[in-house]
Amino acid sequence: IILPFLFFFAAAISLELNQEAHDHAATLIKNSQRVEGVATRTDQQEGRFSNKITLEIESYFDGQKNNLLKKAYYLTVFSHYKNIRAGDRLKLENYTINNDQKKAVLETGLAWGHYFYKERLLGFVFASYPCKIQKCYFSEPSLYQQLIKKRERLFFGLEKKINRETFQLFSSIFFGRKLATNDTKNRETFAKWGLSHYLARSGLHIAIFTMMWFFLIFLLPISTTFRYLTLLTITLTYAAF
């Protein structure tokens, strides 16, 4: 009887600590003069700011020195530079963070505020004057950057080989890209049959992905232990990237 209460109490404490750490990081980045990090994802869209960049912040400049962040936090940066791709190391200066989490809670409710905490999102930045975003060409690419670039090359390579509608569904289910949900026809069709949740990557899609690899790996003439280890490695890599 006591264990469930202890579990929920521990979860509540953990959530509170995470929120405090999130708010502290948001204050540091908001007051910083410069941040550096890696673009983990880019999405092309219409309009002036045609490149939506998810920037994982690695360090910030406090006026005297660069400081590393202990946890991964993100900024969503809207830019008109189309040459920025996932895996690029970026430097962001003279920025203003818009739609901060506390304002979002007051204006749009707790659900949107929780989204900031859940995604470790610190806010949105529109990269227009005086804000400046640029690539760090002279930094050695890390293994993490190389993996992100390989993922993006795979994504755009498949886009060229698969027809448009199939690729929209494929990218939404297996890559977490909302191409299918942005298409009115697809969105209405899935909503009509009550299958809209299939378009969002979740545990269901990890199960489908794992099942596909399960049958392929078990065709190989290797030991059962090695098969399961290989399957576990592939699944964890997919879930992470």
Side-chain angles (χ1 to χ4, degrees):
I1 297 176
I2 298 177
L3 286 178
F5 290 100
L6 290 176
F7 174 80
F8 286 114
F9 178 75
I13 295 296
S14 176
L15 178 62
E16 183 67 24
L17 291 175
N18 286 334
Q19 291 180 353
E20 288 182 3
H22 182 282
D23 292 340
H24 178 65
T27 301
L28 290 176
I29 300 305
K30 188 174 183 179
N31 296 331
S32 175
Q33 299 178 5
R34 181 179 70 236
V35 297
E36 294 184 13
V38 176
T40 60
R41 174 173 171 176
T42 58
D43 293 293
Q44 301 299 318
Q45 55 188 16
E46 296 180 357
R48 177 188 173 192
F49 299 99
S50 57
N51 198 359
K52 178 183 175 184
I53 306 163
T54 301
L55 177 65
E56 181 178 338
I57 303 170
E58 293 183 344
S59 64
Y60 64 95
F61 185 71
D62 61 5
Q64 296 181 344
K65 62 178 182 178
N66 277 326
N67 300 276
L68 297 177
L69 282 180
K70 295 181 180 180
K71 289 185 178 181
Y73 290 100
Y74 301 88
L75 283 174
T76 298
V77 183
F78 296 93
S79 172
H80 62 277
Y81 293 115
K82 295 184 178 181
N83 63 331
I84 295 177
R85 297 295 183 187
D88 290 340
R89 181 172 294 278
L90 305 174
K91 181 188 296 183
L92 188 66
E93 299 178 284
N94 302 325
Y95 56 85
T96 299
I97 297 180
N98 298 284
N99 296 335
D100 66 291
Q101 181 266 334
K102 291 184 179 179
K103 182 178 178 182
V105 171
L106 294 175
E107 293 185 353
T108 59
L110 290 175
W112 183 244
H114 287 166
Y115 173 80
F116 276 77
Y117 290 130
K118 175 178 174 291
E119 300 296 328
R120 293 185 177 179
L121 179 63
L122 301 182
F124 305 92
V125 173
F126 291 89
S128 59
Y129 184 83
C131 178
K132 183 170 67 172
I133 184 171
Q134 58 184 349
K135 292 184 181 181
C136 301
Y137 289 101
F138 302 104
S139 61
E140 188 70 23
S142 64
L143 176 61
Y144 181 56
Q145 289 177 262
Q146 293 175 23
L147 288 174
I148 292 174
K149 284 183 176 293
K150 287 184 182 295
R151 181 194 67 185
E152 292 301 300
R153 282 198 293 268
L154 174 63
F155 179 82
F156 290 111
L158 290 172
E159 184 179 18
K160 295 177 181 179
K161 297 178 180 179
I162 304 176
N163 70 66
R164 181 173 175 271
E165 291 187 359
T166 302
F167 182 73
Q168 284 182 337
L169 296 175
F170 177 83
S171 62
S172 295
I173 293 174
F174 292 106
F175 281 90
R177 305 292 180 92
K178 298 182 179 180
L179 298 181
T181 55
N182 292 336
D183 187 279
T184 304
K185 181 180 178 181
N186 280 330
R187 188 169 62 247
E188 290 179 350
T189 301
F190 275 76
K192 177 181 178 181
W193 292 97
L195 300 175
S196 297
H197 58 285
Y198 280 22
L199 297 177
R201 192 173 72 164
S202 62
L204 170 65
H205 305 120
I206 293 179
I208 295 173
F209 180 85
T210 304
M211 188 179 301
M212 292 168 55
W213 277 103
F214 177 85
F215 288 112
L216 290 174
I217 290 174
F218 269 72
L219 294 176
L220 300 176
I222 55 179
S223 66
T224 303
T225 302
F226 192 74
R227 287 172 180 169
Y228 281 115
L229 288 175
T230 304
L231 182 62
L232 179 62
T233 302
I234 293 173
T235 304
L236 290 177
T237 303
Y238 169 70
F241 293 97

